[in-house]
Amino acid sequence: MSLLKDPGLYKEGIKKMDWALNYMPVVKRILDDYKKSKPLAGMRVVTAMRVDAKMGNFARALKAAGALVYVASSSPQAVEDDIAAGLYNEGINVFAQSNATQEMYKKQLMKAVECNPNVIVDTNGDLMTLLHNECKANSKEIIGGCEETTTGIRRAQARARAGKLDYPIIASSNAKCQALFDDRYGTGQSVWSSIMSVSNLMLAGKNVVVAGYGWCGRGVALRAMGLGANVIVCEVDPVKALEASMDGCTVMVMDRAARLGDVFVTVTGCKDVIKEEHFEMMKDGALLTNAGHFDVEINVCELDKLSVDKSVIGDKLETYVMKDGKKLNLVGEGRLVNLVVGEGGAAEALDLGFAIQAKCAVYIAQNYEKLKKEVYTIPKEIDYDVARIKLNSRNIKIDELTDSQAAYLKSWEE
Ligand SMILES: NC(=O)c1ccc[n+]([C@@H]2O[C@H](COP(=O)([O-])OP(=O)(O)OC[C@H]3O[C@@H](n4cnc5c(N)ncnc54)[C@H](O)[C@@H]3O)[C@@H](O)[C@H]2O)c1
């Protein structure tokens, strides 16, 4: 059983996945290894992630490892139908269609978990929430899950603290290889390529306000600087704010930044970061975008209420006209800009994140008897292993400690 838009689109989907695989040497290597060792033989693995070419190669790697793979998406907007068709053609169960209604999206997730998963690979805790509530009956055979977003990890940790987490979760987004490269460089680049493709604006000389200087925010700010923008950062964490300041950004509160910004990017994981009073202060023509997981960072309801008119430019850009005639532009309804507009992170960056997730799924399969119903940080060896494969693929050699150096670093006598 599968739910997808058009199975006939498979050829294009396969071509796109093959193209992306050329730039995913770590996933390719893992896929080849798992084809022989079959570490997930017979396991039912459900994924809820953006269905694109990179994710498609991850699903292929799980299948190569012997798993029965069930693919759902992480949001109704995050599905490429040709990739869904390509995966279906390769024997993967797919429950994902583009532009699904919220109701349909939920139905797809529920259909995917009807297989009674052993392992889940989640985004934002969507599968976790289902498997602890409406679909609890489908969670009897689950041995663990991995979660790729900060938002999802926070929720799993809150459940674990309350004693309400039914299975162990590995926080894959805590992996250095994911945060440093996928979140920082992947998100950093793709947020700007998406904003520029939808707006056709130039960044040089503009005031760019980045709310949140976490892993993603650093990448977004860094790339904006590289494109010649004056970067303003809004933060609530004093250490991150200091880091942003020393990195060359101007740090200030949103109440001030709102008056100065030409382009805004929220990437905090928090709600109401830009709200009514900020819209009122903004300059005519300001462009508002969100790169955080939920569409709650920019309060679109308040923007709607404040405006007297709205027009749509293309299918991803809306202009809100305020009472005084000022125009504010919102990209992708305030949803995750690089997923709604763009193609998601670059294959080279997501290569690392997906390699981490594949290894996490195998780690769960091999260690679940030792794991408690808690949230675990990713084992260091997985991070190192993935980084080594990536370095090898780039022909980069690094030094190794000699025995005497290793002893020196561990000792206090010498
Ligand atoms: N767009 C993408 O491709 C993509 C990729 C990965 C993660 N994400 C999402 O982006 C968000 C951020 O992820 P991250 O990994 O950078 O998280 P993070 O926790 O490393 O960083 C978030 C930062 O936002 C700050 N913050 C929180 N509330 C704030 C507020 N009200 N005002 C200003 N700053 C505030 C925090 O202090 C923190 O420094 C999450 O929702 C995550 O799921 C998006």
Side-chain angles (χ1 to χ4, degrees):
M1 162 97 194
S2 279
L3 279 175
L4 67 162
K5 199 161 249 174
D6 181 358
L9 299 171
Y10 73 95
K11 280 190 189 149
E12 199 53 31
I14 288 173
K15 271 196 232 162
K16 283 188 189 170
M17 287 190 280
D18 290 347
W19 162 264
L21 194 58
N22 291 327
Y23 301 94
M24 302 179 76
V26 190
V27 168
K28 170 88 173 61
R29 162 77 187 277
I30 285 174
L31 191 152
D32 290 341
D33 289 352
Y34 287 177
K35 228 183 242 173
K36 294 178 210 133
S37 58
K38 301 277 177 211
L40 296 172
M43 293 258 168
R44 292 180 299 281
V45 181
V46 176
T47 67
M49 315 174 107
R50 180 187 157 91
V51 180
D52 64 11
K54 288 88 65 174
M55 185 276 158
N57 286 317
F58 167 64
R60 285 169 154 181
L62 295 176
K63 183 165 184 280
L68 300 162
V69 186
Y70 299 77
V71 165
S73 87
S74 56
S75 114
Q77 287 76 32
V79 183
E80 293 179 27
D81 291 313
D82 48 5
I83 303 295
L87 290 174
Y88 179 65
N89 185 264
E90 293 188 359
I92 289 172
N93 306 285
V94 181
F95 302 87
Q97 296 172 342
S98 65
N99 299 319
T101 58
Q102 198 61 36
E103 198 186 1
M104 186 64 184
Y105 166 64
K106 191 156 181 201
K107 187 174 158 201
Q108 289 163 355
L109 286 181
M110 291 172 88
K111 278 279 166 212
V113 300
E114 269 178 18
C115 71
N116 299 329
N118 303 117
V119 176
I120 59 161
V121 186
D122 211 354
T123 304
N124 204 35
D126 282 356
L127 291 172
M128 173 183 73
T129 305
L130 270 187
L131 288 164
H132 282 78
N133 298 302
E134 292 110 300
C135 301
K136 203 169 172 66
N138 297 111
S139 70
K140 294 204 175 85
E141 294 178 46
I142 194 157
I143 56 170
C146 31
E147 167 59 54
E148 64 159 351
T149 65
T150 320
T151 307
I153 290 163
R154 273 197 210 112
R155 293 176 168 205
Q157 283 165 335
R159 269 189 185 281
R161 275 196 302 275
K164 292 198 185 305
L165 185 65
D166 292 345
Y167 46 82
I169 287 187
I170 312 276
S172 60
S173 77
N174 286 345
K176 289 213 166 66
C177 277
Q178 178 155 341
L180 282 167
F181 310 111
D182 184 337
D183 293 348
R184 183 167 56 174
Y185 295 118
T187 306
Q189 177 174 307
S190 66
V191 160
W192 289 115
S193 60
S194 307
I195 294 174
M196 290 188 289
S197 80
V198 76
S199 68
N200 203 13
L201 288 180
M202 188 171 82
L203 276 197
K206 288 216 168 61
N207 291 338
V208 165
V209 178
V210 179
Y213 205 67
W215 286 112
C216 296
R218 287 184 189 102
V220 171
L222 193 72
R223 289 293 170 255
M225 274 185 195
L227 289 161
N230 309 310
V231 179
I232 297 170
V233 166
C234 302
E235 248 299 343
V236 291
D237 177 322
V239 175
K240 303 250 180 78
L242 185 59
E243 184 188 0
S245 168
M246 295 226 184
D247 284 348
C249 307
T250 308
V251 178
M252 62 178 76
V253 291
M254 184 58 84
D255 281 357
R256 235 185 110 204
R259 295 177 195 279
L260 303 174
D262 298 301
V263 181
F264 292 79
V265 183
T266 53
V267 61
T268 66
C270 188
K271 67 172 187 171
D272 295 339
V273 180
I274 299 184
K275 49 185 191 276
E276 186 170 355
E277 60 260 41
H278 303 128
F279 301 130
E280 283 170 347
M281 294 169 190
M282 282 176 184
K283 294 197 230 177
D284 183 31
L287 186 76
L288 312 178
T289 67
N290 167 50
H293 194 83
F294 285 119
D295 57 354
V296 295
E297 304 213 9
I298 301 172
N299 192 323
V300 180
C301 287
E302 289 181 356
L303 179 59
D304 227 23
K305 276 192 205 139
L306 282 179
S307 65
V308 290
D309 195 14
K310 182 165 98 172
S311 61
V312 182
I313 302 147
D315 57 346
K316 299 288 191 293
L317 187 57
E318 289 160 305
T319 297
Y320 287 78
V321 184
M322 305 290 124
K323 286 187 195 99
D324 60 359
K326 177 173 84 177
K327 290 179 180 156
L328 298 180
N329 304 302
L330 178 70
V331 178
E333 298 172 347
R335 298 176 195 278
L336 220 79
V337 64
N338 56 330
L339 298 198
V340 172
V341 179
E343 298 271 319
E348 286 108 321
L350 292 181
D351 184 29
L352 293 154
F354 281 126
I356 292 279
Q357 312 240 32
K359 283 189 171 271
C360 277
V362 170
Y363 180 84
I364 290 166
Q366 292 172 341
N367 294 282
Y368 70 95
E369 281 162 334
K370 289 184 252 164
L371 301 175
K372 297 188 190 127
K373 294 171 181 176
E374 287 172 12
V375 179
Y376 288 87
T377 52
I378 192 145
K380 210 168 154 189
E381 62 270 22
I382 291 187
D383 239 343
Y384 280 15
D385 209 15
V386 166
R388 267 191 211 104
I389 303 174
K390 192 75 165 181
L391 284 170
N392 275 343
S393 77
R394 295 183 165 205
N395 276 327
I396 299 172
K397 305 260 178 282
I398 59 168
D399 292 312
E400 271 182 51
L401 289 174
T402 63
D403 290 345
S404 107
Q405 285 173 325
Y408 175 78
L409 291 176
K410 280 192 205 140
S411 71
W412 50 269
E413 295 96 333
E414 197 179 332

